[in-house]
Amino acid sequence: MSLLSHPRRTARLAAALAGALLLAGPARAQETPPPSSAAPAVKNPRVVLEIRGLHYDAGDPVLVRVSAHNDGPTETANPLTDPVGRGFVLTEAGGKAHRPAGVGDAAPSQRPARLAPGAYFGRVMDLAPLFPVLSRPGTYTLGYGTGDDAAEPVTLNIIEEYNPTSSYMAVIKTPAGEMKIELFREDAPLTVRNFVDLARQGFYNGLPFHYVRPGDMLMGGDPSGEGFGGSGFNVPAEFNSRKHLAGTVGMVRGADPNSASSQFYICLAPQPERDGRFTVFGQVVEGMEVLNRLGETPTSGRSKRPFFRPLEPLVMESVQILEQKASAPAKAGS
């Protein structure tokens, strides 16, 4: 079974974005040693953990891949445990550690004891049965192995399952106060789900508004803070009939209409020239006075790069999602 496939997701956004949700662990900066120092020793064999995308929905399979790689010139012992699942360790945000339950009996025929030069061995596993705690939304750290054989830990974000029939609001907390935004699920269903999922995993918390142009708009949602980054995957354009008014929220994109990711803008004034050319997915319904205060933030202006960058960091302290589930239809005769 593909690591990215599951029957429950075929009709949901995850299926629409499956091609973009590549297996990837957290990126690590490469450090160049100073000329006078020796290059760090390369660990061999290597144990690697890989996860799917940015998050998992609570109640879904939590599929991960663990693999061992022999990059050396000689045969080496396989560092993965037997059974493979026994080597995992999961830690909650508060520090509580969990060991896997029900990993089964050893199966030597399914796990080579040694790895030839250039060989690797790996398994895709569902962690949900091994760690029942993963049925609850939260942020967890997953490791594998101990000592020299330990893998680089990865973060598992388990979020509430998105309900495509619910109505959603977003509350953005800033140093100037809070703004409440109505999200237009019916007009931009993929975009709204993308925004809700990112917010629920804490993606936007602490990110800056990196562009504030008075009388025009704010832009935020770039983890690099430079205006060129995103979440790592894109959502398709969902142009609709919503107008760009003061307080309108839309997706930042490049020349490709389908290049939107995590960055969004909030209009400080009507901008009819944008109508139909950008994906509008929300509207500020409370806190317009907060938006206006943010729009008065001193910036670098149009004459100095980076243009219209706030002189002091202007961050989103948090982005909270409020969900209102659809009412059940009334029964006939009631």
Side-chain angles (χ1 to χ4, degrees), residues 44-48 66-70 74-84 107-116 119-123 144 149:
N44 189 64
R46 294 181 296 119
V47 179
V48 179
V66 58
S67 56
H69 303 252
N70 180 5
T74 60
E75 185 179 82
T76 184
N78 187 346
L80 301 192
T81 60
D82 191 10
V84 173
S109 63
Q110 299 178 22
R111 171 195 167 275
R114 302 187 67 79
L115 298 175
Y120 70 92
F121 167 78
R123 280 290 181 80
Y144 191 95
D149 292 334

PDB file of all heavy atoms in Angstrom, residues 44-48 66-70 74-84 107-116 119-123 144 149:
ATOM      1  N   ASN A  44      27.447   5.625  10.114  1.00  0.00           N
ATOM      2  CA  ASN A  44      27.092   4.490   9.271  1.00  0.00           C
ATOM      3  C   ASN A  44      26.987   3.243  10.152  1.00  0.00           C
ATOM      4  O   ASN A  44      27.884   2.992  10.955  1.00  0.00           O
ATOM      5  CB  ASN A  44      28.148   4.267   8.188  1.00  0.00           C
ATOM      6  CG  ASN A  44      27.711   3.232   7.164  1.00  0.00           C
ATOM      7  OD1 ASN A  44      26.742   3.457   6.471  1.00  0.00           O
ATOM      8  ND2 ASN A  44      28.410   2.111   7.096  1.00  0.00           N
ATOM      9  N   PRO A  45      25.917   2.466  10.040  1.00  0.00           N
ATOM     10  CA  PRO A  45      24.768   2.685   9.160  1.00  0.00           C
ATOM     11  C   PRO A  45      23.887   3.828   9.664  1.00  0.00           C
ATOM     12  O   PRO A  45      23.924   4.178  10.838  1.00  0.00           O
ATOM     13  CB  PRO A  45      24.034   1.341   9.224  1.00  0.00           C
ATOM     14  CG  PRO A  45      24.365   0.821  10.593  1.00  0.00           C
ATOM     15  CD  PRO A  45      25.786   1.237  10.843  1.00  0.00           C
ATOM     16  N   ARG A  46      23.110   4.401   8.742  1.00  0.00           N
ATOM     17  CA  ARG A  46      22.189   5.476   9.084  1.00  0.00           C
ATOM     18  C   ARG A  46      20.783   4.919   9.289  1.00  0.00           C
ATOM     19  O   ARG A  46      20.340   4.049   8.536  1.00  0.00           O
ATOM     20  CB  ARG A  46      22.123   6.522   7.965  1.00  0.00           C
ATOM     21  CG  ARG A  46      23.382   7.310   7.728  1.00  0.00           C
ATOM     22  CD  ARG A  46      23.176   8.325   6.612  1.00  0.00           C
ATOM     23  NE  ARG A  46      22.905   7.702   5.330  1.00  0.00           N
ATOM     24  CZ  ARG A  46      21.789   7.871   4.625  1.00  0.00           C
ATOM     25  NH1 ARG A  46      20.804   8.629   5.101  1.00  0.00           N
ATOM     26  NH2 ARG A  46      21.639   7.284   3.442  1.00  0.00           N
ATOM     27  N   VAL A  47      20.075   5.469  10.279  1.00  0.00           N
ATOM     28  CA  VAL A  47      18.660   5.156  10.473  1.00  0.00           C
ATOM     29  C   VAL A  47      17.874   6.424  10.176  1.00  0.00           C
ATOM     30  O   VAL A  47      18.185   7.500  10.716  1.00  0.00           O
ATOM     31  CB  VAL A  47      18.373   4.668  11.899  1.00  0.00           C
ATOM     32  CG1 VAL A  47      16.880   4.368  12.075  1.00  0.00           C
ATOM     33  CG2 VAL A  47      19.187   3.422  12.205  1.00  0.00           C
ATOM     34  N   VAL A  48      16.877   6.319   9.304  1.00  0.00           N
ATOM     35  CA  VAL A  48      16.145   7.493   8.822  1.00  0.00           C
ATOM     36  C   VAL A  48      14.648   7.314   9.083  1.00  0.00           C
ATOM     37  O   VAL A  48      14.081   6.255   8.790  1.00  0.00           O
ATOM     38  CB  VAL A  48      16.379   7.717   7.313  1.00  0.00           C
ATOM     39  CG1 VAL A  48      15.588   8.922   6.808  1.00  0.00           C
ATOM     40  CG2 VAL A  48      17.865   7.890   7.031  1.00  0.00           C
ATOM     41  N   VAL A  66      10.557   3.893   8.347  1.00  0.00           N
ATOM     42  CA  VAL A  66      11.848   3.823   9.021  1.00  0.00           C
ATOM     43  C   VAL A  66      12.744   2.945   8.165  1.00  0.00           C
ATOM     44  O   VAL A  66      12.323   1.898   7.664  1.00  0.00           O
ATOM     45  CB  VAL A  66      11.717   3.274  10.460  1.00  0.00           C
ATOM     46  CG1 VAL A  66      11.083   1.889  10.490  1.00  0.00           C
ATOM     47  CG2 VAL A  66      13.082   3.260  11.156  1.00  0.00           C
ATOM     48  N   SER A  67      13.966   3.390   7.949  1.00  0.00           N
ATOM     49  CA  SER A  67      14.873   2.636   7.086  1.00  0.00           C
ATOM     50  C   SER A  67      16.294   2.726   7.618  1.00  0.00           C
ATOM     51  O   SER A  67      16.675   3.686   8.296  1.00  0.00           O
ATOM     52  CB  SER A  67      14.811   3.155   5.647  1.00  0.00           C
ATOM     53  OG  SER A  67      15.088   4.545   5.599  1.00  0.00           O
ATOM     54  N   ALA A  68      17.065   1.679   7.304  1.00  0.00           N
ATOM     55  CA  ALA A  68      18.481   1.625   7.660  1.00  0.00           C
ATOM     56  C   ALA A  68      19.295   1.592   6.377  1.00  0.00           C
ATOM     57  O   ALA A  68      18.960   0.862   5.435  1.00  0.00           O
ATOM     58  CB  ALA A  68      18.765   0.393   8.503  1.00  0.00           C
ATOM     59  N   HIS A  69      20.365   2.372   6.313  1.00  0.00           N
ATOM     60  CA  HIS A  69      21.187   2.509   5.114  1.00  0.00           C
ATOM     61  C   HIS A  69      22.645   2.208   5.448  1.00  0.00           C
ATOM     62  O   HIS A  69      23.208   2.810   6.375  1.00  0.00           O
ATOM     63  CB  HIS A  69      21.084   3.931   4.542  1.00  0.00           C
ATOM     64  CG  HIS A  69      19.687   4.356   4.228  1.00  0.00           C
ATOM     65  ND1 HIS A  69      19.215   4.492   2.934  1.00  0.00           N
ATOM     66  CD2 HIS A  69      18.645   4.684   5.040  1.00  0.00           C
ATOM     67  CE1 HIS A  69      17.944   4.878   2.974  1.00  0.00           C
ATOM     68  NE2 HIS A  69      17.578   5.003   4.236  1.00  0.00           N
ATOM     69  N   ASN A  70      23.230   1.341   4.695  1.00  0.00           N
ATOM     70  CA  ASN A  70      24.655   1.063   4.827  1.00  0.00           C
ATOM     71  C   ASN A  70      25.396   1.787   3.703  1.00  0.00           C
ATOM     72  O   ASN A  70      25.425   1.344   2.561  1.00  0.00           O
ATOM     73  CB  ASN A  70      24.926  -0.440   4.757  1.00  0.00           C
ATOM     74  CG  ASN A  70      26.412  -0.764   4.898  1.00  0.00           C
ATOM     75  OD1 ASN A  70      27.231   0.117   5.145  1.00  0.00           O
ATOM     76  ND2 ASN A  70      26.760  -2.034   4.737  1.00  0.00           N
ATOM     77  N   THR A  74      31.824  -1.935   3.716  1.00  0.00           N
ATOM     78  CA  THR A  74      31.805  -3.291   4.272  1.00  0.00           C
ATOM     79  C   THR A  74      30.423  -3.616   4.825  1.00  0.00           C
ATOM     80  O   THR A  74      29.623  -2.729   5.117  1.00  0.00           O
ATOM     81  CB  THR A  74      32.846  -3.433   5.400  1.00  0.00           C
ATOM     82  OG1 THR A  74      32.540  -2.487   6.443  1.00  0.00           O
ATOM     83  CG2 THR A  74      34.242  -3.187   4.878  1.00  0.00           C
ATOM     84  N   GLU A  75      30.160  -4.882   4.982  1.00  0.00           N
ATOM     85  CA  GLU A  75      28.888  -5.335   5.541  1.00  0.00           C
ATOM     86  C   GLU A  75      28.764  -4.865   6.984  1.00  0.00           C
ATOM     87  O   GLU A  75      29.758  -4.751   7.716  1.00  0.00           O
ATOM     88  CB  GLU A  75      28.837  -6.859   5.474  1.00  0.00           C
ATOM     89  CG  GLU A  75      27.514  -7.460   5.907  1.00  0.00           C
ATOM     90  CD  GLU A  75      27.512  -8.969   5.791  1.00  0.00           C
ATOM     91  OE1 GLU A  75      28.025  -9.632   6.706  1.00  0.00           O
ATOM     92  OE2 GLU A  75      27.013  -9.474   4.761  1.00  0.00           O
ATOM     93  N   THR A  76      27.542  -4.587   7.400  1.00  0.00           N
ATOM     94  CA  THR A  76      27.320  -4.115   8.762  1.00  0.00           C
ATOM     95  C   THR A  76      26.038  -4.715   9.317  1.00  0.00           C
ATOM     96  O   THR A  76      25.173  -5.170   8.557  1.00  0.00           O
ATOM     97  CB  THR A  76      27.220  -2.573   8.795  1.00  0.00           C
ATOM     98  OG1 THR A  76      27.090  -2.124  10.153  1.00  0.00           O
ATOM     99  CG2 THR A  76      26.013  -2.080   8.012  1.00  0.00           C
ATOM    100  N   ALA A  77      25.896  -4.705  10.647  1.00  0.00           N
ATOM    101  CA  ALA A  77      24.689  -5.214  11.284  1.00  0.00           C
ATOM    102  C   ALA A  77      23.523  -4.282  11.007  1.00  0.00           C
ATOM    103  O   ALA A  77      23.678  -3.059  10.915  1.00  0.00           O
ATOM    104  CB  ALA A  77      24.908  -5.352  12.790  1.00  0.00           C
ATOM    105  N   ASN A  78      22.340  -4.853  10.862  1.00  0.00           N
ATOM    106  CA  ASN A  78      21.119  -4.068  10.650  1.00  0.00           C
ATOM    107  C   ASN A  78      20.731  -3.410  11.975  1.00  0.00           C
ATOM    108  O   ASN A  78      20.454  -4.098  12.955  1.00  0.00           O
ATOM    109  CB  ASN A  78      19.995  -4.985  10.161  1.00  0.00           C
ATOM    110  CG  ASN A  78      18.752  -4.220   9.760  1.00  0.00           C
ATOM    111  OD1 ASN A  78      18.590  -3.043  10.072  1.00  0.00           O
ATOM    112  ND2 ASN A  78      17.855  -4.898   9.057  1.00  0.00           N
ATOM    113  N   PRO A  79      20.702  -2.063  12.039  1.00  0.00           N
ATOM    114  CA  PRO A  79      20.388  -1.392  13.311  1.00  0.00           C
ATOM    115  C   PRO A  79      18.905  -1.390  13.664  1.00  0.00           C
ATOM    116  O   PRO A  79      18.549  -1.012  14.779  1.00  0.00           O
ATOM    117  CB  PRO A  79      20.891   0.033  13.082  1.00  0.00           C
ATOM    118  CG  PRO A  79      20.759   0.236  11.608  1.00  0.00           C
ATOM    119  CD  PRO A  79      21.049  -1.098  10.980  1.00  0.00           C
ATOM    120  N   LEU A  80      18.020  -1.787  12.737  1.00  0.00           N
ATOM    121  CA  LEU A  80      16.598  -1.822  13.057  1.00  0.00           C
ATOM    122  C   LEU A  80      16.314  -3.027  13.943  1.00  0.00           C
ATOM    123  O   LEU A  80      16.856  -4.114  13.749  1.00  0.00           O
ATOM    124  CB  LEU A  80      15.739  -1.885  11.798  1.00  0.00           C
ATOM    125  CG  LEU A  80      15.882  -0.736  10.798  1.00  0.00           C
ATOM    126  CD1 LEU A  80      14.752  -0.802   9.777  1.00  0.00           C
ATOM    127  CD2 LEU A  80      15.906   0.614  11.484  1.00  0.00           C
ATOM    128  N   THR A  81      15.422  -2.819  14.911  1.00  0.00           N
ATOM    129  CA  THR A  81      15.098  -3.889  15.850  1.00  0.00           C
ATOM    130  C   THR A  81      14.268  -4.966  15.167  1.00  0.00           C
ATOM    131  O   THR A  81      13.763  -4.784  14.064  1.00  0.00           O
ATOM    132  CB  THR A  81      14.295  -3.316  17.036  1.00  0.00           C
ATOM    133  OG1 THR A  81      13.085  -2.738  16.533  1.00  0.00           O
ATOM    134  CG2 THR A  81      15.082  -2.270  17.787  1.00  0.00           C
ATOM    135  N   ASP A  82      14.126  -6.078  15.841  1.00  0.00           N
ATOM    136  CA  ASP A  82      13.274  -7.161  15.352  1.00  0.00           C
ATOM    137  C   ASP A  82      12.366  -7.578  16.504  1.00  0.00           C
ATOM    138  O   ASP A  82      12.854  -8.090  17.508  1.00  0.00           O
ATOM    139  CB  ASP A  82      14.128  -8.347  14.904  1.00  0.00           C
ATOM    140  CG  ASP A  82      13.329  -9.393  14.139  1.00  0.00           C
ATOM    141  OD1 ASP A  82      12.175  -9.095  13.804  1.00  0.00           O
ATOM    142  OD2 ASP A  82      13.856 -10.477  13.894  1.00  0.00           O
ATOM    143  N   PRO A  83      11.039  -7.329  16.428  1.00  0.00           N
ATOM    144  CA  PRO A  83      10.310  -6.664  15.334  1.00  0.00           C
ATOM    145  C   PRO A  83      10.728  -5.194  15.162  1.00  0.00           C
ATOM    146  O   PRO A  83      11.168  -4.553  16.106  1.00  0.00           O
ATOM    147  CB  PRO A  83       8.846  -6.760  15.771  1.00  0.00           C
ATOM    148  CG  PRO A  83       8.809  -7.799  16.827  1.00  0.00           C
ATOM    149  CD  PRO A  83      10.128  -7.765  17.508  1.00  0.00           C
ATOM    150  N   VAL A  84      10.527  -4.695  13.951  1.00  0.00           N
ATOM    151  CA  VAL A  84      10.943  -3.336  13.632  1.00  0.00           C
ATOM    152  C   VAL A  84      10.257  -2.315  14.530  1.00  0.00           C
ATOM    153  O   VAL A  84      10.875  -1.351  14.985  1.00  0.00           O
ATOM    154  CB  VAL A  84      10.668  -3.030  12.141  1.00  0.00           C
ATOM    155  CG1 VAL A  84      10.938  -1.564  11.832  1.00  0.00           C
ATOM    156  CG2 VAL A  84      11.523  -3.919  11.251  1.00  0.00           C
ATOM    157  N   ALA A 107      10.481 -11.662  13.573  1.00  0.00           N
ATOM    158  CA  ALA A 107      10.294 -12.337  12.291  1.00  0.00           C
ATOM    159  C   ALA A 107      11.580 -12.202  11.482  1.00  0.00           C
ATOM    160  O   ALA A 107      11.676 -11.380  10.570  1.00  0.00           O
ATOM    161  CB  ALA A 107       9.106 -11.753  11.534  1.00  0.00           C
ATOM    162  N   PRO A 108      12.627 -12.996  11.826  1.00  0.00           N
ATOM    163  CA  PRO A 108      13.926 -12.846  11.156  1.00  0.00           C
ATOM    164  C   PRO A 108      13.852 -12.937   9.645  1.00  0.00           C
ATOM    165  O   PRO A 108      14.641 -12.304   8.954  1.00  0.00           O
ATOM    166  CB  PRO A 108      14.740 -14.000  11.749  1.00  0.00           C
ATOM    167  CG  PRO A 108      14.067 -14.314  13.049  1.00  0.00           C
ATOM    168  CD  PRO A 108      12.603 -14.042  12.830  1.00  0.00           C
ATOM    169  N   SER A 109      12.913 -13.731   9.118  1.00  0.00           N
ATOM    170  CA  SER A 109      12.843 -13.879   7.669  1.00  0.00           C
ATOM    171  C   SER A 109      12.423 -12.590   6.975  1.00  0.00           C
ATOM    172  O   SER A 109      12.637 -12.426   5.781  1.00  0.00           O
ATOM    173  CB  SER A 109      11.859 -14.999   7.313  1.00  0.00           C
ATOM    174  OG  SER A 109      10.543 -14.658   7.748  1.00  0.00           O
ATOM    175  N   GLN A 110      11.810 -11.666   7.728  1.00  0.00           N
ATOM    176  CA  GLN A 110      11.349 -10.413   7.142  1.00  0.00           C
ATOM    177  C   GLN A 110      12.298  -9.252   7.429  1.00  0.00           C
ATOM    178  O   GLN A 110      12.044  -8.121   7.042  1.00  0.00           O
ATOM    179  CB  GLN A 110       9.950 -10.079   7.671  1.00  0.00           C
ATOM    180  CG  GLN A 110       8.920 -11.127   7.336  1.00  0.00           C
ATOM    181  CD  GLN A 110       7.556 -10.780   7.915  1.00  0.00           C
ATOM    182  OE1 GLN A 110       7.271  -9.625   8.205  1.00  0.00           O
ATOM    183  NE2 GLN A 110       6.707 -11.786   8.077  1.00  0.00           N
ATOM    184  N   ARG A 111      13.381  -9.521   8.101  1.00  0.00           N
ATOM    185  CA  ARG A 111      14.352  -8.485   8.446  1.00  0.00           C
ATOM    186  C   ARG A 111      15.753  -9.071   8.350  1.00  0.00           C
ATOM    187  O   ARG A 111      16.131  -9.943   9.128  1.00  0.00           O
ATOM    188  CB  ARG A 111      14.114  -7.984   9.860  1.00  0.00           C
ATOM    189  CG  ARG A 111      15.206  -7.062  10.395  1.00  0.00           C
ATOM    190  CD  ARG A 111      15.076  -6.915  11.900  1.00  0.00           C
ATOM    191  NE  ARG A 111      16.258  -6.294  12.479  1.00  0.00           N
ATOM    192  CZ  ARG A 111      17.363  -6.967  12.818  1.00  0.00           C
ATOM    193  NH1 ARG A 111      17.431  -8.271  12.624  1.00  0.00           N
ATOM    194  NH2 ARG A 111      18.390  -6.330  13.342  1.00  0.00           N
ATOM    195  N   PRO A 112      16.545  -8.613   7.399  1.00  0.00           N
ATOM    196  CA  PRO A 112      17.907  -9.135   7.302  1.00  0.00           C
ATOM    197  C   PRO A 112      18.727  -8.740   8.520  1.00  0.00           C
ATOM    198  O   PRO A 112      18.649  -7.603   9.000  1.00  0.00           O
ATOM    199  CB  PRO A 112      18.452  -8.481   6.026  1.00  0.00           C
ATOM    200  CG  PRO A 112      17.627  -7.250   5.851  1.00  0.00           C
ATOM    201  CD  PRO A 112      16.261  -7.582   6.383  1.00  0.00           C
ATOM    202  N   ALA A 113      19.512  -9.661   9.026  1.00  0.00           N
ATOM    203  CA  ALA A 113      20.337  -9.374  10.189  1.00  0.00           C
ATOM    204  C   ALA A 113      21.505  -8.462   9.844  1.00  0.00           C
ATOM    205  O   ALA A 113      21.969  -7.692  10.691  1.00  0.00           O
ATOM    206  CB  ALA A 113      20.845 -10.679  10.797  1.00  0.00           C
ATOM    207  N   ARG A 114      21.956  -8.508   8.592  1.00  0.00           N
ATOM    208  CA  ARG A 114      23.092  -7.692   8.176  1.00  0.00           C
ATOM    209  C   ARG A 114      22.785  -7.030   6.840  1.00  0.00           C
ATOM    210  O   ARG A 114      21.953  -7.513   6.068  1.00  0.00           O
ATOM    211  CB  ARG A 114      24.365  -8.536   8.088  1.00  0.00           C
ATOM    212  CG  ARG A 114      24.724  -9.217   9.407  1.00  0.00           C
ATOM    213  CD  ARG A 114      26.065  -9.901   9.336  1.00  0.00           C
ATOM    214  NE  ARG A 114      27.171  -8.964   9.201  1.00  0.00           N
ATOM    215  CZ  ARG A 114      27.696  -8.255  10.213  1.00  0.00           C
ATOM    216  NH1 ARG A 114      27.207  -8.385  11.445  1.00  0.00           N
ATOM    217  NH2 ARG A 114      28.711  -7.435   9.999  1.00  0.00           N
ATOM    218  N   LEU A 115      23.469  -5.911   6.589  1.00  0.00           N
ATOM    219  CA  LEU A 115      23.274  -5.150   5.355  1.00  0.00           C
ATOM    220  C   LEU A 115      24.573  -5.127   4.576  1.00  0.00           C
ATOM    221  O   LEU A 115      25.633  -4.778   5.104  1.00  0.00           O
ATOM    222  CB  LEU A 115      22.839  -3.718   5.669  1.00  0.00           C
ATOM    223  CG  LEU A 115      21.517  -3.530   6.415  1.00  0.00           C
ATOM    224  CD1 LEU A 115      21.314  -2.058   6.755  1.00  0.00           C
ATOM    225  CD2 LEU A 115      20.354  -4.052   5.598  1.00  0.00           C
ATOM    226  N   ALA A 116      24.474  -5.468   3.301  1.00  0.00           N
ATOM    227  CA  ALA A 116      25.641  -5.440   2.427  1.00  0.00           C
ATOM    228  C   ALA A 116      26.026  -3.993   2.121  1.00  0.00           C
ATOM    229  O   ALA A 116      25.228  -3.065   2.310  1.00  0.00           O
ATOM    230  CB  ALA A 116      25.330  -6.196   1.135  1.00  0.00           C
ATOM    231  N   ALA A 119      23.504  -1.296   0.679  1.00  0.00           N
ATOM    232  CA  ALA A 119      22.149  -1.820   0.834  1.00  0.00           C
ATOM    233  C   ALA A 119      21.364  -0.996   1.860  1.00  0.00           C
ATOM    234  O   ALA A 119      21.935  -0.284   2.699  1.00  0.00           O
ATOM    235  CB  ALA A 119      22.188  -3.282   1.266  1.00  0.00           C
ATOM    236  N   TYR A 120      20.053  -1.111   1.773  1.00  0.00           N
ATOM    237  CA  TYR A 120      19.208  -0.510   2.787  1.00  0.00           C
ATOM    238  C   TYR A 120      17.994  -1.413   3.010  1.00  0.00           C
ATOM    239  O   TYR A 120      17.630  -2.242   2.178  1.00  0.00           O
ATOM    240  CB  TYR A 120      18.748   0.898   2.387  1.00  0.00           C
ATOM    241  CG  TYR A 120      17.763   0.940   1.243  1.00  0.00           C
ATOM    242  CD1 TYR A 120      16.383   0.930   1.478  1.00  0.00           C
ATOM    243  CD2 TYR A 120      18.214   0.999  -0.065  1.00  0.00           C
ATOM    244  CE1 TYR A 120      15.488   0.970   0.427  1.00  0.00           C
ATOM    245  CE2 TYR A 120      17.319   1.033  -1.126  1.00  0.00           C
ATOM    246  CZ  TYR A 120      15.957   1.016  -0.870  1.00  0.00           C
ATOM    247  OH  TYR A 120      15.074   1.048  -1.908  1.00  0.00           O
ATOM    248  N   PHE A 121      17.369  -1.234   4.174  1.00  0.00           N
ATOM    249  CA  PHE A 121      16.173  -1.997   4.528  1.00  0.00           C
ATOM    250  C   PHE A 121      15.224  -1.044   5.226  1.00  0.00           C
ATOM    251  O   PHE A 121      15.640  -0.247   6.075  1.00  0.00           O
ATOM    252  CB  PHE A 121      16.526  -3.158   5.456  1.00  0.00           C
ATOM    253  CG  PHE A 121      15.337  -3.810   6.106  1.00  0.00           C
ATOM    254  CD1 PHE A 121      14.555  -4.702   5.381  1.00  0.00           C
ATOM    255  CD2 PHE A 121      14.988  -3.528   7.414  1.00  0.00           C
ATOM    256  CE1 PHE A 121      13.443  -5.303   5.971  1.00  0.00           C
ATOM    257  CE2 PHE A 121      13.886  -4.119   8.010  1.00  0.00           C
ATOM    258  CZ  PHE A 121      13.118  -5.017   7.284  1.00  0.00           C
ATOM    259  N   GLY A 122      13.936  -1.088   4.849  1.00  0.00           N
ATOM    260  CA  GLY A 122      12.979  -0.183   5.470  1.00  0.00           C
ATOM    261  C   GLY A 122      11.592  -0.765   5.534  1.00  0.00           C
ATOM    262  O   GLY A 122      11.280  -1.752   4.860  1.00  0.00           O
ATOM    263  N   ARG A 123      10.776  -0.143   6.353  1.00  0.00           N
ATOM    264  CA  ARG A 123       9.391  -0.550   6.519  1.00  0.00           C
ATOM    265  C   ARG A 123       8.493   0.678   6.618  1.00  0.00           C
ATOM    266  O   ARG A 123       8.844   1.668   7.260  1.00  0.00           O
ATOM    267  CB  ARG A 123       9.209  -1.360   7.810  1.00  0.00           C
ATOM    268  CG  ARG A 123       9.620  -2.808   7.717  1.00  0.00           C
ATOM    269  CD  ARG A 123       8.647  -3.577   6.835  1.00  0.00           C
ATOM    270  NE  ARG A 123       8.999  -4.976   6.755  1.00  0.00           N
ATOM    271  CZ  ARG A 123       8.700  -5.873   7.699  1.00  0.00           C
ATOM    272  NH1 ARG A 123       8.071  -5.502   8.782  1.00  0.00           N
ATOM    273  NH2 ARG A 123       9.046  -7.127   7.527  1.00  0.00           N
ATOM    274  N   TYR A 144      13.591   6.893  16.892  1.00  0.00           N
ATOM    275  CA  TYR A 144      13.804   5.462  16.643  1.00  0.00           C
ATOM    276  C   TYR A 144      15.222   5.115  17.032  1.00  0.00           C
ATOM    277  O   TYR A 144      16.181   5.754  16.590  1.00  0.00           O
ATOM    278  CB  TYR A 144      13.577   5.094  15.185  1.00  0.00           C
ATOM    279  CG  TYR A 144      13.522   3.592  14.973  1.00  0.00           C
ATOM    280  CD1 TYR A 144      12.302   2.927  14.959  1.00  0.00           C
ATOM    281  CD2 TYR A 144      14.681   2.839  14.828  1.00  0.00           C
ATOM    282  CE1 TYR A 144      12.234   1.552  14.801  1.00  0.00           C
ATOM    283  CE2 TYR A 144      14.628   1.463  14.667  1.00  0.00           C
ATOM    284  CZ  TYR A 144      13.400   0.829  14.659  1.00  0.00           C
ATOM    285  OH  TYR A 144      13.343  -0.543  14.524  1.00  0.00           O
ATOM    286  N   ASP A 149      22.866   4.476  17.035  1.00  0.00           N
ATOM    287  CA  ASP A 149      21.938   3.985  16.026  1.00  0.00           C
ATOM    288  C   ASP A 149      20.634   4.781  15.969  1.00  0.00           C
ATOM    289  O   ASP A 149      19.709   4.412  15.242  1.00  0.00           O
ATOM    290  CB  ASP A 149      21.596   2.507  16.285  1.00  0.00           C
ATOM    291  CG  ASP A 149      22.794   1.599  16.055  1.00  0.00           C
ATOM    292  OD1 ASP A 149      23.674   1.987  15.269  1.00  0.00           O
ATOM    293  OD2 ASP A 149      22.846   0.521  16.665  1.00  0.00           O
TER     294      ASP A 149
END
